[in-house]
């Protein structure tokens, strides 16, 4: 009391001195703070591909080269389809739509990933995460239905060639493409707002290189089992309808090819359909793994590898599949190159 005028120090006996597990209490306090700050749009941290690599600089260069190849390959294919009158058919119109989707598809994730690696940044804001998730879901859903429309186009061309111009006229093509974009956007509008309104309190680290729904849901501290079940049913429906259309179309196509007397006709039909079936396999295989298999089959590392395949590699492979195995496209490319070399 005599030393009171000398500002004697006080001792705070706080929560941690009363706890048997102070470290755990500290971690929980951080989680509560993160949950409380969620309404203030706290940034997420993307723990992406580069953190898992022993040579991140080399991986960054490889992904940048793949990105340029995807952009240039799809851009050339779009240019050829637009400029060459021989490619102004429903089949190539739908292939052009696929190339547009692939360009947007890879541009949603890769530029930010590369820019963050170069600048040493690994954060993404909550609104930015929501926008990325919406665009990605929209493009995945749109491509899912577009592949079904392409299978229907091949069915009409091979099984009903005399009525092809009636069943697949310009108006029908526009309706099919618009329907694919619309159904894809429904998927984005439906899943994105629900996912982003969950309270996140486990961590700010998304164990992925972009904001994919399953990876973001892992951060939620609330019970997401009902939503995951509804999302599973939605994804099953969105995958099941196109798969039924594709399977039915190719069943009729195979029967028609079997009945053909012309060996040349069979070869041409198989060549056209095999390209599309390759693209379908590349897309639907990883999509089934990501959105239809139970969570017990998933690990962050597996999810990143699968997502890397169909998010980054598939947009590169699609234009190669449709150009290298297609005489019309290679002919249009040679014609454009000859025109470019012609003297003025």
């Amino acid at each position: 009391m005599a030393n009171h005028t000398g500002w004697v120090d006080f001792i705070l006996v706080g929560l941690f001195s009363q706890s048997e597990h102070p470290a755990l209490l500290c971690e929980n306090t951080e989680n509560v703070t993160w949950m409380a700050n969620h309404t203030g749009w706290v940034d997420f941290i993307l723990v992406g591909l580069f953190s898992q690599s022993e040579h991140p600089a080399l991986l960054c260069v490889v992904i940048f080269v793949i990105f340029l190849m995807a952009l240039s390959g799809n851009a050339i294919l779009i240019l050829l389809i637009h400029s060459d009158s021989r490619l102004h058919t429903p089949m190539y119109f739908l292939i052009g739509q696929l190339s547009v989707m692939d360009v947007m598809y890879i541009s949603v994730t890769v530029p930010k990933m590369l820019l963050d690696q170069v600048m040493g940044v690994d954060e993404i804001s909550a609104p930015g995460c929501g926008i990325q998730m919406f665009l990605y879901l929209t493009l995945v859903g749109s491509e899912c239905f577009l592949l079904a429309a392409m299978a229907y186009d091949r069915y009409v061309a091979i099984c009903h060639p005399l009525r092809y111009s009636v069943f697949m006229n310009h108006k029908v093509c526009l309706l099919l493409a618009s329907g694919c974009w619309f159904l894809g956007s429904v998927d984005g509008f439906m899943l994105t707002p629900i996912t982003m309104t969950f309270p996140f309190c486990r961590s700010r680290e998304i164990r992925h290189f972009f904001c994919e729904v399953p990876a973001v849901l892992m951060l939620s501290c609330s019970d997401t089992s009902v939503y995951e079940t509804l999302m599973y049913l939605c994804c099953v429906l969105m995958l099941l309808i196109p798969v039924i259309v594709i399977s039915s179309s190719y069943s009729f196509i195979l029967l028609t090819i079997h009945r053909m007397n012309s060996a040349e006709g069979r070869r041409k039909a198989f060549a056209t359909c095999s390209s599309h079936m390759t693209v379908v396999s590349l897309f639907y295989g990883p999509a089934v793994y990501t959105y239809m298999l139970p969570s017990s089959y998933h690990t962050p590392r597996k999810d990143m590898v699968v997502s890397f395949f169909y998010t980054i590699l598939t947009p590169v492979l699609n234009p190669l599949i449709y150009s290298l195995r297609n005489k019309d496209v290679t002919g249009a490319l040679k014609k454009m190159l000859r025109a470019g070399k012609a003297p003025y």
Side-chain angles (χ1 to χ4, degrees):
M1 184 174 180
N3 292 333
H4 176 66
T5 56
W7 300 105
V8 175
D9 294 338
F10 294 96
I11 299 175
L12 292 174
V13 181
L15 289 172
F16 301 109
S17 64
Q18 307 296 321
S19 172
E20 296 180 1
H21 305 284
L24 179 61
L25 180 60
C26 181
E27 181 181 349
N28 290 336
T29 304
E30 290 178 355
N31 288 339
V32 171
T33 304
W34 157 228
M35 182 173 63
N37 289 336
H38 175 65
T39 55
W41 301 109
V42 175
D43 293 345
F44 294 101
I45 297 174
L46 290 172
V47 182
L49 291 170
F50 301 111
S51 63
Q52 308 293 320
S53 174
E54 297 180 359
H55 306 285
L58 178 61
L59 181 61
C60 184
V61 172
V62 170
I63 293 177
F64 180 66
V65 171
I66 293 174
F67 176 67
L68 291 181
M69 289 174 60
L71 289 185
S72 57
N74 284 287
I76 291 172
L77 191 56
I78 293 169
L79 179 63
L80 289 175
I81 292 171
H82 178 74
S83 59
D84 196 308
S85 58
R86 292 176 298 176
L87 303 183
H88 292 174
T89 64
M91 183 180 78
Y92 292 109
F93 171 79
L94 295 176
I95 291 175
Q97 290 293 306
L98 180 65
S99 291
V100 171
M101 290 179 184
D102 281 343
V103 168
M104 297 177 66
Y105 198 44
I106 197 170
S107 299
V108 167
T109 57
V110 172
K112 174 169 177 50
M113 180 173 63
L114 295 176
L115 190 62
D116 287 353
Q117 175 64 17
V118 171
M119 298 182 65
V121 179
D122 57 2
E123 293 187 347
I124 183 171
S125 65
C129 185
I131 292 171
Q132 190 181 62
M133 185 184 297
F134 168 76
L135 292 174
Y136 180 78
L137 288 171
T138 297
L139 292 166
V140 169
S142 300
E143 188 162 333
C144 190
F145 286 104
L146 182 67
L147 292 175
M150 294 171 73
Y152 170 74
D153 170 72
R154 292 299 82 208
Y155 158 73
V156 176
I158 295 173
C159 300
H160 303 283
L162 298 179
R163 290 181 285 179
Y164 182 70
S165 59
V166 177
F167 290 155
M168 291 298 296
N169 56 49
H170 185 65
K171 184 178 180 181
V172 172
C173 291
L174 290 177
L175 286 174
L176 284 174
S178 301
C180 293
W181 284 103
F182 173 75
L183 292 172
S185 65
V186 168
D187 188 36
F189 277 118
M190 185 168 53
L191 296 182
T192 304
I194 300 176
T195 303
M196 296 305 295
T197 51
F198 279 110
F200 303 110
C201 60
R202 290 180 181 171
S203 172
R204 293 194 302 140
E205 293 185 350
I206 300 175
R207 313 293 292 184
H208 216 306
F209 60 90
F210 69 100
C211 290
E212 194 168 22
V213 174
V216 175
L217 282 179
M218 291 178 67
L219 307 185
S220 177
C221 55
S222 61
D223 183 14
T224 61
S225 57
V226 175
Y227 172 61
E228 288 180 17
T229 302
L230 293 174
M231 184 178 69
Y232 173 79
L233 294 175
C234 174
C235 292
V236 167
L237 187 63
M238 288 198 67
L239 289 172
L240 189 61
I241 293 174
V243 165
I244 290 174
V245 173
I246 293 170
S247 302
S248 301
S249 298
Y250 279 100
S251 298
F252 287 115
I253 287 171
L254 289 175
L255 286 174
T256 303
I257 292 175
H258 180 70
R259 295 169 185 167
M260 285 182 178
N261 296 323
S262 170
E264 179 65 20
R266 288 183 180 182
R267 187 196 62 78
K268 189 174 181 180
F270 269 122
T272 303
C273 296
S274 61
S275 297
H276 182 248
M277 285 306 299
T278 304
V279 172
V280 168
S281 301
L282 290 173
F283 179 82
Y284 278 97
V288 168
Y289 168 84
T290 302
Y291 292 100
M292 292 183 64
L293 289 184
S295 57
S296 58
Y297 288 87
H298 292 260
T299 64
R301 188 176 183 84
K302 284 182 182 179
D303 290 349
M304 277 197 283
V305 171
V306 172
S307 296
F308 177 84
F309 180 80
Y310 72 86
T311 303
I312 298 175
L313 291 184
T314 301
V316 181
L317 297 176
N318 285 351
L320 294 177
I321 292 169
Y322 281 115
S323 60
L324 295 178
R325 305 185 64 180
N326 191 302
K327 291 183 178 180
D328 293 334
V329 174
T330 53
L333 180 60
K334 290 176 182 178
K335 180 181 176 182
M336 185 179 71
L337 293 175
R338 285 196 299 267
K341 293 179 181 179
Y344 292 99

